[in-house]
């Protein structure tokens, strides 16, 4: 039976007899049957599996599956099917990739992604089609700000959150003159914006914001400029392979000891092995840290290591929590994906027992969470202190707030 042929009782029978009717027949499964486990719940994973953010995407994927495997491979009693797309952290392909998952694969939930520009393409597709979306990393402000919507959730952070916290930490230390450095796209701009807001609120001044295009890693001109400006310290947002190179180049340029480098914690999360000595002593702010010593975190780290044969990091935590949020929503309705209002209500009021510490969601559907100050010691981002407690993104422009 071709995809476009209308499904009648006769064509359905014919296709079942032909042994090819599973997909067509599933369209006829009544709601109550689907809810008790007839059809699988389809999750569309749109993540980077290649490029600068490949390791981030992989950890999100593995940890999301871990959370579901811990529930017997089921959500709300129904088995789960995964449809996976490599988004390559390429915003230009974002809409097409997301549309495939929604229109062709008919996924029940879109899950993704890492890169803010790609995530905003997913937000548009989810909004246009009224598809449920959970963002397990990308911090784009608009997703839980101007473009917020009942069907859009995030289990990670906004770019503003770690930046704002670091601004507060540095101004609290009496620092006055900073330079910021990042990639020139939403994540970098918003991270530097959050930092600036925190830093200037206490009288600090950002003398210059230096940027280069994503995902470029030719940092020499920027390092030369930093050396010429001589700020008291440098704030930065980089992640993945770009963060590895920036930290190494900064040390190699001889700046590490004269102009301290701080940043949003992505700078040193999941990257320490590759950064080696160049990262030692760096301080960053993030909603996760090593040495939290929470029972949930200890159990998660052991389970992730066993499942993925890698150490957990912030990305794994966010993917795991996307799985936990799905379980909270679908558990309430026993897997009945048509009970949309109830799913959303359950997700909105969930208290997620995250490895990072428990968190709830704001009215805009972004985590309200402690932001930790951490310091690199060996291969760990050791917990130092809580930089800002229960920090909520301002959710500017969100009409749900
Ligand atoms: C983003 O694009 O929002 C982004 C990417 C990588 C990170 C954090 C944020 O580690």
């Amino acid at each position: 039976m071709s995809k476009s042929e209308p499904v009648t009782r006769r064509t359905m029978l014919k296709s079942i007899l032909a042994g090819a009717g599973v997909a067509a027949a599933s369209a006829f499964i009544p709601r109550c049957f689907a809810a008790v486990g007839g059809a699988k719940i389809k999750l569309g994973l749109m993540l980077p599996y290649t490029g600068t953010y490949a390791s981030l995407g992989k950890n999100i994927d593995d940890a999301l599956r871990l959370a579901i495997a811990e529930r017997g491979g089921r959500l709300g009693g129904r088995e789960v099917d995964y449809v996976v797309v490599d988004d390559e952290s390429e915003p230009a392909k974002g809409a097409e990739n997301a549309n495939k998952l929604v229109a062709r694969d008919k996924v029940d939930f879109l899950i993704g992604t890492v890169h803010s520009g790609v995530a905003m393409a997913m937000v548009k597709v989810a909004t246009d089609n009224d598809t449920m979306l959970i963002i397990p990393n990308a911090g784009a402000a608009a997703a839980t700000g101007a473009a917020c919507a009942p069907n859009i959730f995030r289990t990670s952070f906004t770019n503003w959150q770690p930046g704002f916290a670091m601004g507060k930490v540095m101004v609290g230390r009496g620092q006055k003159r900073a330079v910021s450095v990042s990639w020139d796209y939403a994540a970098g701009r918003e991270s530097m914006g959050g930092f600036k807001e925190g830093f200037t609120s206490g009288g600090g001044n950002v003398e210059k914001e230096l940027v280069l295009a994503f995902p470029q890693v030719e940092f020499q001109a920027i390092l030369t400029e930093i050396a010429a400006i001589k700020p008291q310290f440098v704030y930065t947002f980089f992640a993945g392979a770009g963060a590895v190179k920036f930290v190494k180049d900064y040390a190699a340029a001889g700046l590490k000891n004269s102009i301290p480098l701080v940043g949003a914690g992505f700078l040193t999360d999941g990257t320490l092995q590759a950064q080696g000595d160049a990262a030692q002593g760096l301080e960053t702010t993030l909603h996760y840290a090593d040495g939290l010593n929470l029972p949930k975190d200890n159990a998660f780290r052991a389970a992730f290591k066993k499942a993925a044969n890698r150490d957990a990091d912030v990305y794994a935590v966010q993917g795991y929590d996307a799985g936990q949020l799905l379980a909270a929503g679908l558990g309430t309705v026993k897997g009945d994906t048509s009970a949309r209002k109830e799913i959303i209500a359950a997700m909105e009021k969930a208290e997620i027992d995250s490895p990072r510490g428990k968190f709830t969601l704001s009215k805009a559907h972004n985590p309200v969470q402690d932001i930790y100050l951490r310091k690199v010691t060996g291969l760990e981002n050791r917990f130092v202190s809580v930089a800002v407690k229960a920090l909520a993104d301002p959710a500017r422009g969100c009409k749900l707030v």
Side-chain angles (χ1 to χ4, degrees):
M1 189 170 67
S2 85
K3 269 205 159 163
S4 55
E5 189 178 344
V7 183
T8 62
R9 186 184 284 257
R10 186 189 291 172
T11 56
M12 193 174 92
L13 257 179
K14 210 167 73 185
S15 65
I16 289 172
L17 287 173
V22 181
S26 68
F28 286 83
I29 292 169
R31 188 175 144 169
C32 56
F33 182 57
V36 294
K40 293 184 180 181
I41 292 195
K42 254 194 189 184
L43 301 183
L45 270 50
M46 189 167 144
L47 292 163
Y49 295 93
T50 55
T52 307
Y53 289 158
S55 65
L56 291 61
K58 195 92 194 39
N59 272 9
I60 291 169
D61 178 317
D62 281 336
L64 170 77
R65 290 178 200 247
L66 171 64
I68 295 169
E70 286 176 350
R71 290 162 175 81
R74 289 170 183 266
L75 289 169
R78 287 172 65 187
E79 282 181 72
V80 176
D81 228 3
Y82 300 91
V83 188
V84 177
V85 169
D86 177 9
D87 69 38
E88 306 164 52
S89 296
E90 178 51 83
K93 297 183 186 166
E96 192 188 332
N97 282 330
N99 268 318
K100 264 191 223 150
L101 290 171
V102 171
R104 182 194 64 189
D105 301 315
K106 310 225 173 329
V107 299
D108 295 302
F109 280 79
L110 270 176
I111 315 280
T113 185
V114 169
H115 184 287
S116 274
V118 183
M120 286 315 297
M122 296 180 77
V123 164
K124 172 133 190 2
V125 170
T127 303
D128 291 350
N129 295 279
D130 197 23
T131 303
M132 293 292 293
L133 168 65
I134 300 181
I135 302 171
N137 183 71
T144 53
C148 77
N151 54 317
I152 295 166
F153 286 80
R154 174 150 52 197
T155 57
S156 50
F157 58 89
T158 61
N159 295 314
W160 180 92
Q161 284 177 307
F164 180 80
M166 186 51 95
K168 287 282 186 199
V169 167
M170 296 311 278
V171 88
R173 289 179 183 173
Q175 299 284 297
K176 293 280 182 244
R177 297 173 43 245
V179 162
S180 298
V181 188
S182 194
W183 277 312
D184 190 10
Y185 82 104
R189 289 280 177 195
E190 292 170 9
S191 182
M192 292 193 297
F195 168 73
K196 190 174 185 177
E197 199 176 320
F199 194 52
T200 56
S201 72
N205 183 41
V206 178
E207 304 204 336
K208 196 147 191 189
E209 293 183 339
L210 300 166
V211 293
L212 75 171
F214 175 87
Q216 282 180 18
V217 290
E218 294 311 319
F219 298 120
Q220 282 318 312
I222 279 176
L223 295 172
T224 304
E225 199 165 351
I226 290 170
I229 298 172
K230 293 191 182 60
Q232 286 176 301
F233 70 98
V234 168
Y235 172 81
T236 186
F237 168 90
F238 286 109
V244 171
K245 178 140 191 307
F246 185 78
V247 165
K248 285 178 140 183
D249 287 3
Y250 197 85
L255 293 172
K256 188 173 175 227
N257 295 326
S258 52
I259 306 176
L261 178 64
V262 301
F266 313 108
L267 187 68
T268 54
D269 231 76
T271 56
L272 290 175
Q273 195 97 44
Q275 286 163 334
D277 283 351
Q280 292 309 302
L282 293 188
E283 289 182 297
T284 60
T285 40
L286 202 64
H287 47 288
Y288 191 53
D290 293 309
L292 291 178
N293 204 22
L294 302 167
K296 183 73 180 180
D297 190 36
N298 297 340
F300 166 69
R301 284 170 173 243
F304 185 80
K305 180 89 185 185
K306 196 163 162 217
N309 203 21
R310 291 190 303 279
D311 288 323
D313 59 12
V314 69
Y315 309 105
V317 169
Q318 295 165 172
Y320 187 75
D321 290 341
Q324 299 211 88
L325 186 62
L326 279 168
L330 288 163
T332 302
V333 298
K334 302 206 169 23
D336 182 357
T337 46
S338 69
R340 172 68 71 87
K341 273 207 172 113
E342 293 87 337
I343 293 172
I344 289 175
M347 287 167 67
E348 283 176 336
K349 67 169 197 286
E351 184 187 59
I352 300 296
D353 188 9
S354 171
R356 76 189 84 170
K358 291 191 170 122
F359 73 83
T360 54
L361 295 174
S362 68
K363 286 201 169 120
H365 299 174
N366 189 66
V368 178
Q369 55 195 343
D370 293 352
I371 306 293
Y372 307 117
L373 175 65
R374 311 110 48 89
K375 184 173 186 150
V376 176
T377 316
L379 289 176
E380 293 195 321
N381 286 287
R382 288 304 289 179
F383 170 84
V384 174
S385 62
V386 175
V388 183
K389 183 123 197 84
L391 184 61
D393 179 84
R396 292 175 182 124
C398 173
K399 56 227 171 280
L400 300 173
V401 174

